[in-house]
Amino acid sequence: MQGSLRKRLKNVHFEFVDPPFTSKHESIGEGLSWYEFSTVGEDEVKWSRFDESLQYISEVFTSRGPFDGVMGFSQGACVAALLSVLRERDSLPPPVQFQFVWLFSGFCPKDPEWRKLCLETQVRKISSVHVIGETDQIISPQRSTEVLLPPFQLDD
């Protein structure tokens, strides 16, 4: 986080939560992950164990919360967007409640089930901030913009 932003948010407490899984994928290597995934097609990825992540998130909200907002970067932003969609549908466990979401280099899920849910839901119960990197080499601005439509689309 940039120093100037940190100064402006000096009275704000951030709780950083690592994903529960270590995952290895042929194209991106090994790292922490909110879900395990396998490539099904060129633009389709099948997620597994995401239900366990939702349970883990619920435990975090119970043990460390409550929280005013959720913030995510890259895959974490994808998950934060999904949490927003699930919150809109009243499909989150009771301890998982928040008023805003910050998405940094987020993207729409490539898993067909979760993608469909995102594309069919408009998020209106919470506020959102979207940070899109114009020169991001991993998550292109076009891919990051996908997460805005339609879930976070503004009314005209």
Side-chain angles (χ1 to χ4, degrees):
M1 198 178 297
Q2 293 292 328
S4 61
L5 180 59
R6 210 175 310 160
K7 285 178 188 173
R8 290 177 190 237
L9 300 175
K10 66 181 175 182
N11 295 322
V12 176
H13 173 76
F14 288 91
E15 186 76 31
F16 295 95
V17 180
D18 286 329
F21 305 117
T22 300
S23 187
K24 188 171 188 175
H25 195 267
E26 62 271 2
S27 65
I28 59 173
E30 186 173 297
L32 295 175
S33 181
W34 288 103
Y35 46 83
E36 293 183 351
F37 59 95
S38 55
T39 303
V40 177
E42 187 174 314
D43 279 336
E44 190 173 308
V45 173
K46 185 65 182 159
W47 290 8
S48 60
R49 301 184 73 189
F50 186 59
D51 57 328
E52 293 174 51
S53 282
L54 290 175
Q55 179 59 40
Y56 173 69
I57 291 166
S58 178
E59 291 167 8
V60 168
F61 269 75
T62 299
S63 64
R64 300 189 219 174
F67 300 109
D68 294 321
V70 175
M71 178 172 64
F73 172 75
S74 194
Q75 187 187 82
C78 176
V79 170
L82 270 175
L83 291 175
S84 302
V85 165
L86 292 171
R87 186 187 182 295
E88 187 70 28
R89 292 174 163 257
D90 296 320
S91 298
L92 288 171
V96 183
Q97 293 296 316
F98 51 95
Q99 302 306 310
F100 66 87
V101 64
W102 289 357
L103 307 174
F104 294 82
S105 297
F107 54 89
C108 197
K110 286 189 174 184
D111 179 278
E113 175 187 350
W114 294 110
R115 183 177 191 81
K116 183 176 189 280
L117 192 68
C118 275
L119 296 176
E120 292 176 347
T121 307
Q122 285 196 320
V123 175
R124 298 192 182 280
K125 293 179 182 175
I126 63 170
S127 300
S128 63
V129 172
H130 303 260
V131 179
I132 299 169
E134 290 181 359
T135 59
D136 193 325
Q137 299 296 309
I138 307 297
I139 307 299
S140 70
Q142 178 185 5
R143 186 170 177 210
S144 200
T145 303
E146 272 186 324
V147 82
L148 297 172
L149 305 169
F152 298 97
Q153 188 171 0
L154 296 174
D155 291 329
D156 291 333

